[in-house]
Amino acid sequence: MHSHRIHPIAIFLSAILLSGVVSPPAAAQLTESPDQSHGRFGDPMTVAPNLQGYLYGVVKGKTADSLTLDKTKFGVEKEIKLDKKTKYVRDGKPGRLAEIQVGDPVYVAVKTDKKSGDMTAKKILSGILPAPAH
């Protein structure tokens, strides 16, 4: 007859893992501002709060009055209509539709038509996004 005993080392290791004692050393030892020169859209810790409510996607197609975005939260391609009121921001400065290329990652502020579900772009951000003024 075998008795089922839990090995003391297994108990010790489980206790350490569950207690959260083991933490990533890099996070605990961060003493200076991270390098903000990396990343297409800048430092995510400062940029992300300003992009809440924006739809992220990668431009798959482009016409004079619409953008087709891939890799959106919808999981399928999404057509975003453009109109004369759509504002374009490239690298933090006023831009134009002509500067947006297929393959560019973009953030789009959209308004959705309640009846048709069509999305129209109010503002499209592309290029490098500036960190907000603190």
Side-chain angles (χ1 to χ4, degrees):
M1 209 151 96
H2 295 301
S3 66
H4 293 289
R5 279 186 15 171
I6 298 176
H7 200 278
I9 292 177
I11 294 171
F12 177 73
L13 290 175
S14 297
I16 288 176
L17 291 173
L18 293 174
S19 69
V21 169
V22 180
S23 64
Q29 297 173 356
L30 188 61
T31 56
E32 58 188 59
S33 292
D35 175 17
Q36 295 188 10
S37 65
H38 64 284
R40 180 84 172 123
F41 286 107
D43 177 21
M45 298 309 285
T46 58
V47 174
N50 294 340
L51 296 174
Q52 287 181 330
Y54 280 78
L55 174 65
Y56 171 80
V58 175
V59 178
K60 186 168 184 182
K62 173 176 120 170
T63 68
D65 58 359
S66 73
L67 285 181
T68 302
L69 300 184
D70 198 11
K71 299 182 174 64
T72 66
K73 67 181 179 180
F74 300 105
V76 294
E77 290 178 15
K78 197 72 181 163
E79 182 181 6
I80 308 295
K81 295 184 181 300
L82 307 173
D83 63 19
K84 61 183 181 286
K85 291 189 252 176
T86 301
K87 290 186 170 60
Y88 302 92
V89 178
R90 178 91 179 167
D91 297 331
K93 300 180 196 97
R96 302 182 330 272
L97 174 61
E99 296 172 313
I100 297 174
Q101 303 299 319
V102 171
D104 281 357
V106 294
Y107 285 89
V108 184
V110 297
K111 63 181 177 212
T112 305
D113 184 293
K114 287 183 175 39
K115 290 182 182 171
S116 67
D118 288 345
M119 293 184 173
T120 303
K122 294 189 288 185
K123 185 191 275 186
I124 300 175
L125 305 177
S126 62
I128 299 167
L129 304 182
H134 291 277

